[in-house]
Amino acid sequence: MRKPKRTAKATATPAPKSAKAPDKKKINSVTLSYGGKTLELPVMHASEGPSVIDVRKLYAETGMFTYDPGFTSTASCDSKITYIDGDAGILRHRGYSIDELAFKSDFMETSYLLLEGELPNKKQKAKFVHDITMHTMLHEQILNVFRGFRRDSHPMAVMCGVVGALSAFYHDSTDINDPHQRMVASYRMIAKMPTIAALAYKYSLGQPFVYPRNELTYAENFLHMCFSVPAEEYKVNPILARAMDRIFILHADHEQNASTSTVRLAGSSEANPFACIAAGIASLWGPSHGGANEAALNMLQSIGTVENIKPFIDRAKDKNDHSKLMGFGHRVYKNYDPRATVMRKTCHEVLGVLGIKHDPLLQIAMELEKIALSDRYFIDRQLYPNVDFYSGIIERALGFPPSMFTVIFAVARTVGWVAQWNEMITDPGKKIGRPRQLYQGANERKYVPIAARK
Ligand code: CMC
């Protein structure tokens, strides 16, 4: 095929190193000059963080689009759920810092906060936990969906399929314009995700499926469904359950990341809510996003010894090599990911509880971190450990294989997806998400019958 002539050089410009938000009191509009004309574009102010230039009228007025592949400078929506200051390493849900939530709250309370906007009182929390618990079981026929998968399927493949299949089961909670049905669909997804994740794990092992136990907490129940077998008594270690719960909190939401934006975009067409979450799971799976935890652990394993770190780092810096330092770098954080700080601390705690004095992988991770953080390449690019750098070491110590790490991320992120989906659906200004493009293909040409083609 003839290569179309390029009419414009399209190169992405990285964000400035310390993109300082202009003083929002001073700027209420910006003026765009083009072809001898000017256009005043209003500026909208955030309660915290960068203001945005409202370009909604740009195309109608100028006939031009904005160009921002990868959305490095684009706010796709307004939201009240999560705030990130990437330069300062701050993450807050509904105003509460992730550190406070990780150490003082629990996953059910954080879920309520994300969904409802406020921390629950005792009565509200008890009702919420009860309501979620009432939805932990799966329709028995869904077990047949599992059995259609090959035994060696990756559990994320099973998650994509089974969560998508929920859309064929729960017809009484798919009217997105009915607030009650939206709430039931949301609770069902939060409640059923650990059950689906645990069954995906059991299926891969060839062990019997373990049904949920409603007297257990969310995290305890997940560990129970993953690690108990009908033949033996299983007691969940409360300290490990607490670590599991903290991992869930740390992954619960992260504003407009790839999978959340996918859920919002899928939902903007008013699609079935369960199918929207399946779309989010598919997006999460990639190694640049949630799949990085599995890739980071595989990387640590392949490095194997501290002596191999230096050559691995050289490869990660080499543009002709595809290797990256997995669990390092972030589009938004240009400072230490605050989730990584908590995860690192939790990692030491969990290994301590389990009596693991020397985990060779933790040793490699800590040495790798030290070397990378003093290397010019990583310093210049502001690459720091992210949430996925240490999570795999903890999850492995809890007994999970690497293929389950991204599944655990999906279980936790479901509440974030659901909260953002609800916010999008109830936004009075909601519109179907429909980006445009810079077309660089062939101009109009006449169809040539096959016999006349060279
Ligand atoms: N190892 C080596 N070089 C890196 C890495 C890395 N992990 N991350 C970024 N770079 C380099 C990149 O090559 C580029 O260099 P140059 O300017 O010379 O071309 C520069 O740093 C900027 O990177 P980018 O790819 O333009 O940045 P991005 O914002 O598009 O990508 C990222 C962010 C997270 C996809 C990327 O840092 C990455 O692939 N990291 C490894 C995967 C990972 O850990 N992902 C988990 C993210 S946190 C969990 C989640 O929320 O999903």
Side-chain angles (χ1 to χ4, degrees):
M1 201 186 111
R2 187 172 65 87
K3 209 169 170 227
K5 200 172 141 229
R6 288 181 71 89
T7 51
K9 192 166 162 39
T11 47
T13 314
K17 286 266 156 66
S18 58
K20 225 175 164 305
D23 182 350
K24 60 185 180 186
K25 283 196 195 78
K26 282 191 199 138
I27 302 173
N28 286 317
S29 67
V30 297
T31 306
L32 180 76
S33 308
Y34 64 103
K37 296 188 204 158
T38 59
L39 175 68
E40 186 138 309
L41 295 165
V43 168
M44 296 163 72
H45 299 302
S47 55
E48 215 168 345
S51 303
V52 302
I53 302 166
D54 180 353
V55 295
R56 281 176 290 182
K57 292 214 167 73
L58 185 77
Y59 177 59
E61 298 284 340
T62 68
M64 286 184 274
F65 299 132
T66 55
Y67 180 70
D68 186 19
F71 308 114
T72 54
S73 295
T74 296
S76 61
C77 62
D78 48 79
S79 180
K80 293 186 169 66
I81 301 174
T82 291
Y83 172 69
I84 302 176
D85 180 336
D87 291 330
I90 289 171
L91 167 62
R92 292 188 207 121
H93 297 316
R94 305 282 192 184
Y96 297 98
S97 86
I98 191 65
D99 301 46
E100 275 213 293
L101 292 172
F103 291 109
K104 297 180 184 166
S105 181
D106 61 50
F107 183 64
M108 278 294 92
E109 188 179 74
T110 301
S111 297
Y112 183 98
L113 175 70
L114 287 168
L115 288 167
E116 303 293 335
E118 296 297 336
L119 287 169
N121 62 27
K122 261 191 183 160
K123 209 170 140 201
Q124 288 165 329
K125 171 139 184 233
K127 181 172 182 326
F128 181 68
V129 171
H130 172 267
D131 291 350
I132 293 288
T133 306
M134 287 302 107
H135 289 292
T136 51
M137 289 199 303
L138 293 175
H139 190 294
E140 197 65 12
Q141 258 184 289
I142 294 176
L143 302 188
N144 296 331
V145 180
F146 281 89
R147 294 192 175 105
F149 282 92
R150 274 173 60 138
R151 188 70 73 197
D152 60 358
S153 306
H154 193 289
M156 278 301 279
V158 178
M159 293 295 285
C160 288
V162 175
V163 175
L166 296 183
S167 55
F169 283 84
Y170 298 103
H171 304 300
D172 59 345
S173 58
T174 54
D175 179 355
I176 59 152
N177 296 312
D178 176 347
H180 178 72
Q181 293 204 26
R182 270 204 315 275
M183 192 260 291
V184 174
S186 303
Y187 284 16
R188 277 186 169 140
M189 284 186 269
I190 297 165
K192 292 184 196 307
M193 211 57 86
T195 314
I196 297 170
L199 297 196
Y201 178 48
K202 287 297 192 192
Y203 188 71
S204 72
L205 296 176
Q207 288 185 1
F209 292 157
V210 175
Y211 288 93
R213 299 293 309 237
N214 285 350
E215 77 276 16
L216 300 176
T217 67
Y218 193 87
E220 285 170 349
N221 183 41
F222 180 57
L223 293 174
H224 158 81
M225 288 188 291
C226 287
F227 298 123
S228 71
V229 288
E232 276 178 26
E233 189 68 30
Y234 175 78
K235 232 181 141 23
V236 182
N237 180 329
I239 300 173
L240 301 186
R242 179 75 196 112
M244 188 77 252
D245 193 78
R246 192 179 290 165
I247 290 171
F248 287 153
I249 295 173
L250 291 173
H251 289 92
D253 190 51
H254 213 228
E255 53 120 299
Q256 308 313 320
N257 55 83
S259 58
T260 303
S261 298
T262 302
V263 170
R264 278 186 178 257
L265 192 58
S268 76
S269 72
E270 311 200 335
N272 181 296
F274 299 97
C276 296
I277 300 302
I281 294 174
S283 170
L284 184 77
W285 193 359
S288 296
H289 190 8
N293 50 16
E294 177 179 354
L297 196 100
N298 290 340
M299 172 192 77
L300 294 175
Q301 269 168 338
S302 77
I303 291 174
T305 63
V306 170
E307 294 71 53
N308 293 334
I309 293 176
K310 168 87 180 61
F312 182 82
I313 289 202
D314 290 341
R315 285 183 58 200
K317 295 189 313 193
D318 182 354
K319 294 287 165 222
N320 299 316
D321 193 309
H322 288 300
S323 310
K324 269 187 184 173
L325 188 45
M326 300 311 288
F328 253 70
H330 198 275
R331 169 63 61 78
V332 185
Y333 294 120
K334 300 302 168 200
N335 200 325
Y336 217 96
D337 177 342
R339 303 168 299 174
T341 316
V342 180
M343 205 59 100
R344 192 180 200 260
K345 190 161 184 273
T346 308
C347 189
H348 287 286
E349 277 171 23
V350 168
L351 297 186
V353 170
L354 293 171
I356 303 171
K357 290 213 172 58
H358 291 293
D359 181 339
L361 291 191
L362 179 61
Q363 207 194 343
I364 293 169
M366 285 169 53
E367 195 56 31
L368 190 59
E369 179 185 338
K370 206 162 80 193
I371 296 174
L373 292 182
S374 57
D375 187 305
R376 271 269 52 102
Y377 175 96
F378 295 91
I379 296 168
D380 289 348
R381 290 166 181 76
Q382 297 168 297
L383 302 170
Y384 292 88
N386 59 50
V387 70
D388 292 321
F389 193 63
Y390 285 104
S391 62
I393 299 175
I394 313 178
E395 288 162 17
R396 178 170 162 270
L398 291 175
F400 291 103
S403 60
M404 279 297 287
F405 297 172
T406 314
V407 172
I408 292 169
F409 195 153
V411 170
R413 183 55 59 85
T414 297
V415 64
W417 291 330
V418 159
Q420 301 265 356
W421 172 80
N422 273 290
E423 186 177 62
M424 188 263 309
I425 297 285
T426 51
D427 181 348
K430 171 177 90 72
K431 266 183 161 348
I432 185 167
R434 189 11 175 132
R436 299 301 304 270
Q437 62 176 4
L438 172 65
Y439 177 68
Q440 301 214 312
N443 296 113
E444 187 182 15
R445 43 190 172 158
K446 288 281 173 233
Y447 179 83
V448 181
I450 194 162
R453 285 179 224 156
K454 288 191 189 126

